[in-house]
Amino acid sequence: MSAADNGTERSLGQLVATATAEMSALMHDEIALAKAEFRQDAKRAGIGGAAFSVAGALALFALPVLSFAAAYGIHNLGLGLAWSFLIVGGAFLVLAGLLALLAVAKMKKIKKPERSISSAKETAAVLQKAKPHPRVAPVEHPVLESVTRSSV
């Protein structure tokens, strides 16, 4: 790993700087991938949640509508009171059921962020295999002899 571009050797500082920059870029790419996948699923969840909300509202609005249908249905259609309740209430419940089915279909399309998970697992596997190199004693390595240490 000491040989670099154009056949020259890079210093330890350059290697550390390169590794740090590459790790930072990798993490930024991982986060961007996760955001993109979550954005798609959040849109699907929003549509499904809105459909559930509308279905619930229609189911709640069915009760007063059924009451009005009972009052005015006899006069307008000439039907009995029970038939007015059944026709209008049944129509709203069918519509609520269809919206609930749409919501379930949208919610089932939501998946886990597979690419982000697999990419993170690959990164973790690579980092687990990376082992730090043992330090070389200053006597054995002439470059490390010249490095001054600060007492912080």
Side-chain angles (χ1 to χ4, degrees), residues 3 9 45 48 72 84 94 109 113 120-121 138-139 144-145:
E9 291 187 15
Y72 295 109
S84 297
V94 166
K109 288 184 179 179
K121 285 181 181 178
V139 177
L144 292 179
E145 288 178 9

Side-chain angles (χ1 to χ4, degrees), residues 1-148:
M1 283 181 57
S2 61
D5 303 331
N6 301 331
T8 61
E9 291 187 15
R10 293 191 289 182
S11 69
L12 180 62
Q14 290 171 332
L15 291 174
V16 169
T18 302
T20 303
E22 288 177 2
M23 280 298 283
S24 176
L26 176 65
M27 294 309 295
H28 284 287
D29 290 345
E30 297 271 345
I31 291 169
L33 176 62
K35 282 182 181 179
E37 287 182 327
F38 284 132
R39 198 172 297 123
Q40 289 175 346
D41 287 340
K43 184 177 180 181
R44 288 182 185 137
I47 292 171
F52 268 131
S53 299
V54 171
L58 287 176
L60 286 175
F61 291 149
L63 185 61
V65 169
L66 292 174
S67 298
F68 286 116
Y72 295 109
I74 295 171
H75 296 294
N76 291 337
L77 299 175
L79 296 175
L81 186 60
W83 286 108
S84 297
F85 273 97
L86 288 175
I87 290 171
V88 176
F92 276 102
L93 289 177
V94 166
L95 186 59
L98 290 174
L99 286 173
L101 289 175
L102 172 71
V104 167
K106 289 292 182 184
M107 292 293 191
K108 283 186 178 181
K109 288 184 179 179
I110 297 173
K111 304 175 216 164
K112 348 182 234 190
E114 297 290 339
R115 293 182 295 180
S116 296
I117 291 171
S118 66
S119 179
K121 285 181 181 178
E122 288 174 11
T123 302
V126 167
L127 291 177
Q128 285 177 351
K129 292 178 184 175
K131 297 179 182 173
H133 295 289
R135 291 188 177 232
V136 179
V139 177
E140 298 175 15
H141 199 286
V143 175
L144 292 179
E145 288 178 9
S146 64
V147 175
T148 60

